[in-house]
């Protein structure tokens, strides 16, 4: 799996830079044991984010797995960063509200498909419409009260528009 960011503006070290734990993309015995424990706990509902597949490791857990400290990537604008997201990665802390203008991409296929590269959306000729269909479906499910859609329209914006803060609460 991978994620990529083309940062169009500078990203300062104290404004939420991309961070990565070097070597954490390698699945060592310690890492696999941690993954197993975390998956079992996630299945038991211990941690909501882990239950959704977004495992989090504490600094102490990273040390026990034998990994180094995370490295923050403070970069100038017009920098492309590509990360192997099997490794531990996150947006670093920001000391104040900050704006990052970026182009974001990811590639992660469903690990439960029996054939590598098999994509039902492509076979049905719907791959180019997938995101619109999924967003439409999320809107319908929310209207029916079956699921809350976290995405909200904010109107037309340009990359250089003044920052706007949009708060989303459960009752909105």
């Amino acid at each position: 799996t991978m994620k990529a960011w083309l940062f169009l503006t500078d990203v300062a070290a104290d404004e939420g830079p991309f961070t990565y734990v070097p070597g954490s993309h390698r699945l060592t015995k310690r890492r696999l044991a941690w993954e197993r424990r975390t998956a079992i706990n996630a299945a038991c509902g211990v941690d909501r984010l882990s239950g959704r597949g977004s495992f989090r490791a504490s600094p102490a857990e990273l040390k026990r797995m034998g990994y180094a400290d995370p490295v923050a990537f403070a970069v100038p604008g017009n920098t492309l960063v590509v990360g192997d997201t099997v490794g531990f990665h996150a947006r670093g802390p920001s000391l104040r509200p900050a704006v990052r203008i970026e182009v974001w991409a990811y590639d992660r296929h469903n690990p439960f498909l029996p054939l590598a590269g098999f994509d039902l959306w492509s076979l049905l000729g719907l791959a180019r419409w997938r995101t619109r269909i999924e967003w439409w479906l999320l809107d319908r499910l929310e209207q029916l009260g079956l699921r809350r859609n976290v995405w909200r329209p904010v109107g037309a914006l340009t990359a250089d528009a003044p920052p706007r803060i949009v708060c989303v609460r459960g009752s909105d």
Side-chain angles (χ1 to χ4, degrees):
T1 64
M2 73 81 162
K3 290 182 184 175
W5 299 262
L6 174 59
F7 294 106
L8 302 177
T9 56
D10 295 348
V11 180
D14 60 354
E15 292 183 343
F18 174 74
T19 60
Y20 195 84
V21 177
S24 63
H25 64 290
R26 294 187 198 96
L27 299 179
T28 64
K29 286 183 181 181
R30 289 180 189 170
R31 168 71 182 266
L32 291 172
W34 177 88
E35 291 267 353
R36 184 174 192 282
R37 284 191 310 275
T38 304
I40 290 169
N41 288 335
C44 296
V46 174
D47 172 25
R48 183 181 68 84
L49 290 174
S50 292
R52 297 179 70 194
S54 185
F55 292 178
R56 304 289 202 259
S58 70
E61 289 171 317
L62 291 172
K63 290 290 184 207
R64 280 195 298 274
M65 285 184 265
Y67 297 127
D69 291 332
V71 174
F73 291 85
V75 297
N78 202 31
T79 298
L80 175 66
V81 174
V82 180
D84 178 345
T85 53
V86 170
F88 291 105
H89 63 285
R91 177 180 284 195
S94 183
L95 298 181
R96 62 190 160 282
V99 174
R100 290 189 343 189
I101 300 175
E102 63 194 39
V103 177
W104 176 72
Y106 77 100
D107 184 37
R108 179 177 67 187
H109 295 283
N110 185 331
F112 302 106
L113 293 176
L115 303 170
F118 177 78
D119 179 29
L120 185 60
W121 289 94
S122 295
L123 287 177
L124 298 174
L126 298 173
R128 67 183 290 210
W129 300 104
R130 179 181 181 163
T131 302
R132 287 185 184 188
I133 292 169
E134 288 177 346
W135 288 349
W136 177 87
L137 181 60
L138 286 171
D139 287 341
R140 299 297 86 70
L141 290 172
E142 183 173 51
Q143 289 172 354
L144 295 171
L146 298 175
R147 181 173 179 191
R148 184 174 165 269
N149 187 355
V150 299
W151 298 101
R152 295 279 183 265
V154 296
L157 296 174
T158 60
D160 61 349
R164 288 184 8 193
I165 298 175
V166 178
C167 296
V168 178
R169 294 184 181 15
S171 61
D172 289 347

